[in-house]
Amino acid sequence: MVILKLLSEEVFDFSRGEMTQQKIKELKQSLNSEFQLIHELCLYVLSASQRTELIQATLSTLHAFLSWIPLGYIFESPLLETLLKFFPMPSYRNLTLQCLTEVAALNFGDFYNMQYIKMYNFFMVQLQAILPSTTKIPEAYANGSSEEQAFIQNLALFFTSFYKSHIRVLESSQENISALLMGLEYLINISFVDDTEVFKVCLDYWNSLVLELFEPHHNLDTPAATVNMMGLQVMPLLHGMVDGLGSQILQRRQLYAAPMSKLRMLMICRMAKPEEVLIVEDENGNIVRETMKDNDVLVQYKIMRETLIYLSHLDHEDTEKQMLKKLSKQLSGEDWNWNNLNTLCWAIGSISGSMMEEQENRFLVMVIRDLLNLCEITKGKDNKAVIASNIMYVVGQYPRFLRAHWKFLKTVVNKLFEFMHETHPGVQDMACDTFLKIVQKCKRKFVIVQVGESEPFVSELLSGLPTTVADLEPHQIHTFYESVGHMIQAESDLQKRDEYMQRLMDLPNQKWAEIIGQAHQSVDFLKDQEVIRTVLNILQTNTSVANSLGTYFLSQISLIFLDMLNVYRMYSELISSSIAEGGPYASKTSYVKLLRSVKRETLKLIETFLDKAEDQPQIGKQFVPPMMDPVLGDYARNLPDARESEVLSLFATIINKYKAAMIEDVPRIFEAVFQCTLEMITKNFEDYPEHRLKFFSLLRAIAAHCFPALIRLSSEQLKLVMDSIIWAFRHTERNIAETGLNLLLEMLKNFQASEFCNQFYRSYFLTIEQEIFAVLTDTFHKPGFKLHVLVLQHLFCSAESGALSEPLWDTTTVPYPYLNNAMFVREYTIKLLGTSFPNMTASEVTQFVNGLFESKNNLSIFKNHIRDFLVQSKEFSAQDNKDLYAEEAAVQRERERQRMLSIPGLIAPNEIQDEMLDS
C-alpha cells in the first residue's frame, strides 16, 4: 500500500516541472489501465481485513489516487459505501473524511449528481451521530485532542469542497434543503473556532458563496447596460427575462437568508484589524502601539471586508440591526471587552460606502453618538485608549457623512485635538493621521464660516495652535502642519490665504529668525547639536506645509531660501572637514549624520516645493540660479561619501518641471555631477544604491526634455552616457534596470529623429542589440521583458527605415556584401544567437530571427514570438516565468478594479480620488 501511494505521488504530485507533459500523460494512461488491480486490492483489504494499520495505509493510498482515477471506479463500485461505513469509526474517521473530501472536490458535469446527493445525505445522518448539531464546536475544539481538532479541520474542508462544486444540486430539490441548511449551520459553527487555518478555509468559501449570491442581484440592478448593448426593440422581451430571473434570484436569496444573517454576525465578531489602526493589545494584555504590520492579518481583513460588503448589499437592514444591537450591548456593559468593541468598530468602518447616503447618515449618527458616550462613561486609561482608537478609525472611514454634517465634523475634530494630549502609546499618532485623512476629504468645510459660527474653523484652530500641538512629538507636529496646509490651500481668497499661512508658520519662523540672528553674531552657534536639531525640525515643518500648499507656499519659502542655502553651504564645509580629518569613519558619526540630515531636508524642501508648484517659469528663474554653486558646485567639490543623492533627484525634478527652459543649464549640471557620480557607481553593483537610481532618473529627464544638450556632448562624453545606460540595465536591481531601459528608449527615439541618426547607430546599434539579447536571455532580468521587447522592436524597425541611410557594417573590412542594413542585421542576429544557444539548431535560430523581422510592425505578435522562443529554451523551461506575462496580469488587475468600482463600498471612500468632494 505504501509503495502504491508513493508511486501516485511520484507521478502526479512531484513531477511538475521535472517531466514533460507528454511523459506524465503516458504514465497516467498506463497507471489508469493498471488501476483496476489496485482498486480491487484496496476494496478487498477494506472488506476483509481487521488490522487497523493495514486499513489506515489502504485509506491513505486511496486518498492519493482519488483525485485522478477514472470516475467509474468511484461511483460505479462499492467504494463510496465502503468509505461511509468506515466514517463513524474513530480510528479511521480522519482518513475517510479526507477521501470523501477528494471525491467532493471532483466536478465533472451532472452525470453523477444523484450519487453525490445520496453520499451527502448519508454523510449528514452519520455526522449527527458523531457530532450532534447542538455541540458548541468552538469549545469542543479548544478542549479536544489533536485527532479531534484534525477532524474539525477536515470537516471544514469537506463542506467547503462539497459546496463549491455541488451546492446547486442540493438546492434543486426540496427534500435536500434541510440537510443543506444543517451543513451550512455546521460550517458557520466551525468558522467560530479559534484557529487561523480553519478560519481561512471557511472564509475562503464564504467569500465565494456570498459573491455568488450577490452578483446576479447586482447585475439585475443595472439592466440598463444590457439594454444599451441590445437595442430598444428587445425591451419587452428583456423585461420578461429579468422578471423570471429576478424571481429565481430572490428565491435563492430567501433560501439563504438565515445562514447569511448568522454569517454577518460571524464577520462582525471576527473582523480582522485594518491597516489604519495603530493601537493593539500585546501578549501581556497591555494596550500598546503596533510596531510591525502583520501582512497575514491585512490579507484576511481585505477578504473579510469584501465579504461583509456583499453581505451588507444583500440585506442592509439586517447588517445595520446587528451592528447597532452589538453596540448597545457594549454600552450596557453586557458584552463589553476590548476585542468585542474592536471587531465591531472595524466591521462598521469596513462597510463605508455600501449604504445609501440617507441610511448611512441615520446609522452613523447613532454609532458616533454611542461611541462618544462610551468614551465618557468608561473609566481607565487603557479602556479609553481602545475606545479612542475605534472612534478615530470609524470617523476616518466616512468622509461623506462628515462633509454633510458640520456639527459632527467639528465635534470629531475637537475630539481628535483632545486625543492629541493623550500620551497613551499610539493614540497621538492615530489622532494626527486621522486628522490628516479627514482634512484631505473635507478641507472646504474648514475655511467657510459655518452657520452659527463667527469665523471659519481654520482661524479658530490657528489661534489655539500652540496649545493643540504642545504635547505632540516633532513627527506628529509635521503631520498636523501638513493637515492645516490642506485647509489653507482650500481658501480661494489670496489675502486670507496668505494671512492664514503667516499665522501657521509663525512659531517656526520666529525660531528660525532667532537662530539666523545668533549666527550673524557668531557662526559657531550653528555648530551646536541642539541648534542643528532645531534647524532640521523647522525645515521638516516647512516641507510638510509645502507638500500640501504647493504654489501658495512661495512667499514662505522666499522668506527663508537664501539663509537656508548659506546654512547648507556651511554645514557642507563642516562635513567635508570632519571627513577629511577623521577619515571614512567620520561619515558614520552621529554629528556628521545630523549635519547631513539638514542638507537632505533642505534639498527635499526645495524639491517638494518646485514639484508641487504650478508650472510657472518665473519660479524656476527665481530658485535655480542661486542653487548652482551652493548645491551643484558643492556636490562636485565634496568627497564621494559626503555627496547627497538628493541633489540628483532635485535637478531631475527641476528638468522634468521646466523642460526645455533648462537646456542652457544642462552642461553645468553635467559638469558637476556626471563624471564624479559615474566613478562612484561603476566600481561594482552595490555601493551608493541611492545615487544609482537618482543618477539614471536625472539622465532620463535630460534625454526627454533637453535632448539638444546631449547632442552637444563630445563623443567621449556620449560614450560614457551609453556605457552607463548599459551598466544600468544590466543591473539586477529592478527599478535601476527599468530606469536604464526607459532612458535607452528615449535616446533611441530622439537620435532616430535627429541628423546624427547614422553616426549614432553606426557606433551603438550592434552593441545595444548584443547587450539587450544578453539580459533578455540570461533569466535574471525577466521583469524588464516588456522594455527589452520595445528596444528590440525599435532596432529592427530602424534597420529597415529610411532614416538609416549608411551601412551598419564596417565597410573597410567588408566592402559591400550586403544589399542593405536589414540583411546585415538579420545575419548578425542569427550568428549572435547561434553562439549564445548552442543547443538550438541553425534552422530554429534562423526561423526565430525571420519571425522577428516579419512581425516587427505588430508589437503583440513580436512580443509573443520572443516569449515563445524564451519559454522553449532550456534555460527558461524549468523556471517560474510569470514576469514574462506581467503586462497581461496588469490588464487583468485593471479589469478587476473597474468591477470593484461598480459596487458601492468595495473600494473604500478614502481610496477614491474624488475631485468633486467638496462641491
Side-chain angles (χ1 to χ4, degrees), residues 714-762:
S714 67
S715 57
E716 289 78 19
Q717 282 178 310
L718 184 61
K719 184 172 183 337
L720 273 178
V721 173
M722 294 309 294
D723 287 350
S724 69
I725 291 175
I726 291 169
W727 179 258
F729 68 67
R730 277 184 192 164
H731 224 283
T732 47
E733 183 68 46
R734 182 175 180 161
N735 44 8
I736 294 178
E738 282 189 5
T739 308
L741 289 163
N742 280 314
L743 169 56
L744 176 59
L745 279 166
E746 298 278 359
M747 299 281 283
L748 292 175
K749 283 176 197 152
N750 285 320
F751 267 110
Q752 174 93 15
S754 75
E755 70 267 33
F756 299 100
C757 172
N758 282 305
Q759 211 174 326
F760 176 76
Y761 279 129
R762 285 192 66 168

Side-chain angles (χ1 to χ4, degrees), residues 571-587:
Y571 282 178
S572 190
E573 284 162 6
L574 266 178
I575 292 167
S576 291
S577 60
S578 300
I579 293 180
E581 287 160 21
Y585 293 108
S587 63

Side-chain angles (χ1 to χ4, degrees), residues 282-525:
D282 69 5
E283 62 272 22
N284 307 318
N286 299 318
I287 293 296
V288 294
R289 190 207 151 110
E290 180 180 54
T291 47
M292 283 266 294
K293 292 260 174 263
D294 184 337
N295 280 332
D296 280 354
V297 172
L298 292 179
V299 169
Q300 192 172 314
Y301 170 72
K302 193 165 166 277
I303 300 171
M304 292 187 77
R305 180 177 169 275
E306 194 176 295
T307 310
L308 193 54
I309 282 173
Y310 294 142
L311 283 166
S312 173
H313 279 298
L314 287 172
D315 188 341
H316 288 297
E317 301 306 319
D318 185 56
T319 311
E320 182 184 341
K321 196 171 79 192
Q322 294 210 44
M323 287 177 167
L324 290 174
K325 187 174 168 190
K326 212 164 156 41
L327 185 56
S328 69
K329 285 184 177 175
Q330 294 291 316
L331 269 165
S332 67
E334 173 190 344
D335 205 7
W336 158 257
N337 69 38
W338 294 340
N339 186 53
N340 288 347
L341 181 69
N342 285 341
T343 50
L344 170 62
C345 291
W346 299 340
I348 290 172
S350 71
I351 59 165
S352 169
S354 65
M355 295 179 176
M356 299 300 283
E357 191 163 358
E358 199 178 311
Q359 185 186 6
E360 180 177 278
N361 290 346
R362 195 181 63 233
F363 172 59
L364 272 185
V365 166
M366 294 192 262
V367 169
I368 295 175
R369 192 189 57 211
D370 283 357
L371 285 173
L372 290 171
N373 284 343
L374 190 60
C375 199
E376 294 306 314
I377 60 175
T378 311
K379 300 284 176 277
K381 276 260 183 203
D382 276 358
N383 292 337
K384 280 193 180 304
V386 171
I387 300 169
S389 144
N390 283 310
I391 291 174
M392 293 189 282
Y393 174 64
V394 170
V395 296
Q397 296 306 304
Y398 286 93
R400 178 172 71 176
F401 170 78
L402 294 175
R403 282 198 298 275
H405 298 82
W406 167 251
K407 285 251 164 27
F408 264 100
L409 176 55
K410 186 178 179 183
T411 309
V412 161
V413 169
N414 283 325
K415 197 74 190 164
L416 291 176
F417 291 171
E418 247 176 72
F419 293 150
M420 287 176 192
H421 299 288
E422 176 56 70
T423 52
H424 202 293
V427 175
Q428 290 170 305
D429 275 316
M430 212 170 153
C432 293
D433 291 352
T434 309
F435 180 50
L436 176 59
K437 190 192 277 185
I438 289 176
V439 171
Q440 282 170 330
K441 294 292 180 186
C442 312
K443 47 191 173 197
R444 290 270 320 129
K445 304 291 165 204
F446 297 105
V447 291
I448 51 182
V449 180
Q450 298 286 352
V451 179
E453 309 271 345
S454 57
E455 58 177 351
F457 184 82
V458 63
S459 180
E460 190 183 319
L461 176 154
L462 289 166
S463 307
L465 183 130
T467 329
T468 311
V469 300
D471 295 324
L472 295 178
E473 297 286 318
H475 71 276
Q476 294 159 344
I477 293 179
H478 303 150
T479 307
F480 188 89
Y481 267 75
E482 184 182 344
S483 311
V484 184
H486 280 293
M487 287 185 190
I488 296 173
Q489 190 252 331
E491 173 57 72
S492 46
D493 179 325
L494 177 75
Q495 211 172 345
K496 280 186 188 166
R497 200 168 52 222
D498 274 359
E499 180 222 328
Y500 290 151
M501 185 171 66
Q502 278 164 9
R503 286 169 65 189
L504 173 65
M505 300 310 290
D506 192 34
L507 286 173
N509 283 347
Q510 275 178 15
K511 198 79 199 139
W512 178 256
E514 205 177 290
I515 290 172
I516 296 298
Q518 295 268 23
H520 282 315
Q521 286 161 20
S522 160
V523 136
D524 287 349
F525 176 72

Side-chain angles (χ1 to χ4, degrees), residues 596-700:
R596 291 189 71 169
S597 299
V598 174
K599 281 183 70 180
R600 286 197 189 112
E601 196 57 44
T602 305
L603 296 167
K604 187 178 166 192
L605 169 56
I606 301 169
E607 185 177 338
T608 303
F609 170 66
L610 293 177
D611 184 37
K612 300 276 180 185
E614 284 162 18
D615 192 359
Q616 297 177 351
Q618 78 274 14
I619 293 184
K621 290 276 177 283
Q622 179 183 343
F623 289 99
V624 176
M627 285 194 293
M628 282 301 183
D629 186 66
V631 175
L632 271 184
D634 171 75
Y635 183 92
R637 289 189 293 271
N638 263 332
L639 298 158
D641 280 347
R643 289 187 188 128
E644 307 304 338
S645 64
E646 285 75 7
V647 171
L648 304 171
S649 57
L650 169 61
F651 279 90
T653 301
I654 290 172
I655 289 173
N656 282 326
K657 191 81 182 177
Y658 300 111
K659 303 188 172 61
M662 293 297 298
I663 281 186
E664 298 309 316
D665 297 303
V666 169
R668 180 78 196 277
I669 296 171
F670 235 78
E671 188 188 326
V673 305
F674 193 72
Q675 191 84 37
C676 65
T677 311
L678 265 184
E679 282 165 11
M680 290 161 62
I681 63 176
T682 48
K683 289 194 177 82
N684 55 44
F685 279 123
E686 285 80 40
D687 295 348
Y688 307 108
E690 292 294 308
H691 291 73
R692 283 168 199 277
L693 187 57
K694 290 173 181 173
F695 174 70
F696 293 117
S697 301
L698 172 61
L699 274 188
R700 190 178 171 195

Side-chain angles (χ1 to χ4, degrees), residues 192-207:
F192 277 100
V193 163
D194 189 13
D195 178 285
T196 316
E197 292 312 309
V198 175
F199 184 66
K200 274 184 189 165
V201 170
C202 300
L203 177 61
D204 179 51
Y205 175 65
W206 292 130
N207 181 261

Side-chain angles (χ1 to χ4, degrees), residues 511 515 525-537 571 591 594:
K511 198 79 199 139
I515 290 172
F525 176 72
L526 284 171
K527 295 178 183 174
D528 179 75
Q529 291 225 16
E530 273 315 301
V531 174
I532 301 173
R533 278 198 187 87
T534 310
V535 168
L536 178 61
N537 193 5
Y571 282 178
Y591 183 62
L594 191 58

Side-chain angles (χ1 to χ4, degrees), residues 95-307:
L95 282 167
T96 314
L97 194 43
Q98 285 172 344
C99 291
L100 291 170
T101 303
E102 282 295 339
V103 175
L106 298 171
N107 190 4
F108 292 99
D110 301 337
F111 194 68
Y112 292 112
N113 279 352
M114 291 319 293
Q115 280 90 330
Y116 272 116
I117 290 177
K118 217 159 93 185
M119 161 182 154
Y120 180 80
N121 284 325
F122 194 63
F123 175 84
M124 288 304 292
V125 172
Q126 288 185 323
L127 178 62
Q128 288 168 75
I130 300 169
L131 189 75
S133 56
T134 52
T135 313
K136 291 186 169 164
I137 296 179
E139 287 168 28
Y141 185 91
N143 304 320
S145 64
S146 58
E147 274 291 301
E148 288 164 334
Q149 291 188 340
F151 176 69
I152 301 284
Q153 288 173 358
N154 288 330
L155 202 51
L157 287 164
F158 171 79
F159 279 128
T160 53
S161 303
F162 193 97
Y163 294 151
K164 270 181 190 165
S165 303
H166 311 289
I167 198 163
R168 291 284 191 159
V169 185
L170 291 173
E171 286 172 25
S172 58
S173 60
Q174 208 54 43
E175 60 269 22
N176 301 314
I177 283 178
S178 62
L180 163 62
L181 292 175
M182 184 183 289
L184 288 169
E185 183 79 28
Y186 270 109
L187 192 55
I188 286 176
N189 288 334
I190 294 172
S191 305
F192 277 100
V193 163
D194 189 13
D195 178 285
T196 316
E197 292 312 309
V198 175
F199 184 66
K200 274 184 189 165
V201 170
C202 300
L203 177 61
D204 179 51
Y205 175 65
W206 292 130
N207 181 261
S208 64
L209 174 66
V210 172
L211 177 59
E212 199 185 306
L213 291 173
F214 165 77
E215 279 218 301
H217 146 80
H218 176 59
N219 295 340
L220 273 188
D221 282 351
T222 51
T226 329
V227 176
N228 286 344
M229 286 174 352
M230 296 165 109
L232 285 174
Q233 65 275 27
V234 293
M235 278 292 277
L237 180 69
L238 191 70
H239 276 306
M241 279 164 55
V242 166
D243 291 345
L245 269 174
S247 68
Q248 279 175 17
I249 289 164
L250 276 175
Q251 274 174 346
R252 191 162 190 234
R253 283 176 55 199
Q254 276 155 2
L255 167 66
Y256 288 105
M260 290 302 108
S261 182
K262 287 176 180 158
L263 190 53
R264 280 183 198 98
M265 184 43 76
L266 168 74
M267 292 295 147
I268 294 168
C269 290
R270 293 207 60 167
M271 196 66 193
K273 187 181 80 62
E275 196 168 6
E276 299 92 327
V277 176
L278 304 175
I279 294 157
V280 293
E281 188 177 347
D282 69 5
E283 62 272 22
N284 307 318
N286 299 318
I287 293 296
V288 294
R289 190 207 151 110
E290 180 180 54
T291 47
M292 283 266 294
K293 292 260 174 263
D294 184 337
N295 280 332
D296 280 354
V297 172
L298 292 179
V299 169
Q300 192 172 314
Y301 170 72
K302 193 165 166 277
I303 300 171
M304 292 187 77
R305 180 177 169 275
E306 194 176 295
T307 310

